[in-house]
Amino acid sequence: MAQDSLKEHKEVAFNEFYTEVKEIEKRDSVLTPKQQIERLLRPGSTYFNLNPFEVLQVEPETAVEEVKKKYRRLSILVHPDKNQDDPDRAQQAFEVVNKAWRTLENEETRKKCLDIVEEAKGRTDIMLAEKRKKAKKEGKDGILEDNPERYKHAVYVLTMKLFADMERKRRELAERDQEERKRKREQEIEEEEKQKAEREWQKNFEESRQNRVESWQTFKAGSSKSKSSKKMKMFKPPKNKPESR
């Protein structure tokens, strides 16, 4: 009975899971498992996936609650259980999606990401202002980035570059930190070896000193005995003189 109940529960859960996936696919034809896996693992994905907004396909100003919904939909679509014909790649995509959500879920790391987007907008505005001045001098009416979509794309490109720069700096700091820890560890090992050598030297010195003391005491004892024996051998009693009459 228990096994039948468990089996029935699993079937219900699977049917609910399958129904939810189908609803997602029906609601947005772009969000299909195969398409999402291909998008998340496409050439250059290591670069693109540095931007969590790009991974989850949400605008930076999207509320966290909506980001969470998008994350849930994507995580279901790329879940290995849903893509048993390609579980390894599905697992990779699933991990990318999870990492992006953890970044945006955390208030501190999400703020850092939003700061990058704002910086990209600021730099883009400065760059386009200079471009407009140049275009005006050349007698042109405007620039391509005056189009909202063109402007959005310019911000997007610079945003990706800034995320890449941030990752590069993070890796450089990590490498420096690793080198510093390695250097400190080498110093610690060197100091430990030095202390060990000093302890060995002190131990050997104490042992050799004791041996020297014992040898000297043995020598002195032997020398004293030899002198005493020599004195005894050299001592001769006086000869008796004949009496004179």
Side-chain angles (χ1 to χ4, degrees), residues 226-243:
S226 176
K227 287 181 180 180
S228 176
S229 175
K230 190 174 182 181
K231 285 181 180 180
M232 289 180 65
K233 288 180 181 180
M234 291 179 64
F235 176 75
K236 294 181 180 181
K239 294 181 180 181
N240 292 329
K241 294 182 178 181
E243 294 180 2

Side-chain angles (χ1 to χ4, degrees), residues 1 19 57 70 75 83 130-131 142 161 167 173 189 192 199 201 224 227 235 239 243:
M1 291 290 292
T19 300
Q57 294 182 307
K70 191 63 176 288
S75 63
N83 299 275
E130 292 296 322
K131 196 172 180 180
K161 182 180 181 302
E167 176 63 14
L173 288 173
I189 293 173
E192 289 171 1
R199 288 194 299 269
W201 184 89
S224 299
K227 287 181 180 180
F235 176 75
K239 294 181 180 181
E243 294 180 2

Side-chain angles (χ1 to χ4, degrees), residues 72-120:
R72 287 192 63 198
R73 290 199 295 269
L74 282 175
S75 63
I76 289 173
L77 289 170
V78 302
H79 197 283
D81 290 346
K82 166 64 179 173
N83 299 275
Q84 295 185 9
D85 58 327
D86 194 5
D88 293 338
R89 283 169 56 80
Q91 181 64 36
Q92 293 178 44
F94 183 73
E95 290 172 0
V96 169
V97 171
N98 277 339
K99 182 180 178 182
W101 165 241
R102 288 196 302 271
T103 300
L104 296 182
E105 178 188 32
N106 181 279
E107 185 176 346
E108 183 178 349
T109 52
R110 183 168 183 269
K111 185 179 183 304
K112 289 181 180 179
C113 293
L114 290 172
D115 288 343
I116 287 176
V117 174
E118 287 303 313
E119 183 179 351

Side-chain angles (χ1 to χ4, degrees), residues 204-219:
N204 293 335
F205 177 79
E206 292 294 335
E207 290 177 353
S208 62
R209 185 176 67 173
Q210 184 64 30
N211 291 335
R212 290 195 300 273
V213 170
E214 291 176 356
S215 297
W216 176 246
Q217 289 175 345
T218 302
F219 173 77

Side-chain angles (χ1 to χ4, degrees), residues 88-190:
D88 293 338
R89 283 169 56 80
Q91 181 64 36
Q92 293 178 44
F94 183 73
E95 290 172 0
V96 169
V97 171
N98 277 339
K99 182 180 178 182
W101 165 241
R102 288 196 302 271
T103 300
L104 296 182
E105 178 188 32
N106 181 279
E107 185 176 346
E108 183 178 349
T109 52
R110 183 168 183 269
K111 185 179 183 304
K112 289 181 180 179
C113 293
L114 290 172
D115 288 343
I116 287 176
V117 174
E118 287 303 313
E119 183 179 351
K121 288 180 179 178
R123 289 193 187 186
T124 301
D125 289 342
I126 293 172
M127 179 185 67
L128 296 183
E130 292 296 322
K131 196 172 180 180
R132 288 188 185 94
K133 286 182 182 180
K134 184 179 179 181
K136 189 174 182 181
K137 288 181 180 180
E138 295 174 352
K140 297 178 181 178
D141 294 332
I143 58 176
L144 293 174
E145 288 79 8
D146 288 333
N147 180 292
E149 288 301 318
R150 291 273 190 174
Y151 173 77
K152 184 177 179 180
H153 180 71
V155 173
Y156 168 80
V157 170
L158 188 52
T159 298
M160 298 302 295
K161 182 180 181 302
L162 292 179
F163 270 108
D165 289 343
M166 182 180 70
E167 176 63 14
R168 176 179 53 79
K169 291 177 182 178
R170 185 194 68 79
R171 291 184 181 182
E172 288 176 353
L173 288 173
E175 288 176 2
R176 284 202 293 268
D177 181 63
Q178 185 177 2
E179 287 295 324
E180 181 65 17
R181 284 188 280 111
K182 181 181 177 182
R183 185 184 64 81
K184 287 182 178 180
R185 181 54 186 156
E186 288 174 349
Q187 288 180 339
E188 290 174 358
I189 293 173
E190 184 179 351

Side-chain angles (χ1 to χ4, degrees), residues 5-126:
S5 177
L6 179 61
K7 183 178 179 181
E8 183 179 354
H9 176 74
K10 287 183 178 180
E11 289 179 353
V12 170
F14 176 79
N15 289 334
E16 291 177 351
F17 172 81
Y18 182 78
T19 300
E20 185 174 2
V21 171
K22 285 300 179 184
E23 287 177 354
I24 292 170
E25 293 177 353
K26 184 178 179 180
R27 182 167 61 247
D28 191 343
S29 61
V30 175
L31 297 178
T32 62
K34 185 176 180 180
Q35 288 173 328
Q36 288 297 347
I37 292 172
E38 290 298 325
R39 179 182 71 85
L40 294 167
L41 302 181
R42 68 192 185 278
S45 59
T46 302
Y47 169 76
F48 289 107
N49 292 342
L50 294 173
N51 183 347
F53 302 113
E54 168 72 10
V55 171
L56 298 180
Q57 294 182 307
V58 295
E59 297 296 331
E61 59 272 15
T62 305
V64 177
E65 294 76 14
E66 291 301 315
V67 175
K68 186 175 183 179
K69 291 178 182 178
K70 191 63 176 288
Y71 154 70
R72 287 192 63 198
R73 290 199 295 269
L74 282 175
S75 63
I76 289 173
L77 289 170
V78 302
H79 197 283
D81 290 346
K82 166 64 179 173
N83 299 275
Q84 295 185 9
D85 58 327
D86 194 5
D88 293 338
R89 283 169 56 80
Q91 181 64 36
Q92 293 178 44
F94 183 73
E95 290 172 0
V96 169
V97 171
N98 277 339
K99 182 180 178 182
W101 165 241
R102 288 196 302 271
T103 300
L104 296 182
E105 178 188 32
N106 181 279
E107 185 176 346
E108 183 178 349
T109 52
R110 183 168 183 269
K111 185 179 183 304
K112 289 181 180 179
C113 293
L114 290 172
D115 288 343
I116 287 176
V117 174
E118 287 303 313
E119 183 179 351
K121 288 180 179 178
R123 289 193 187 186
T124 301
D125 289 342
I126 293 172

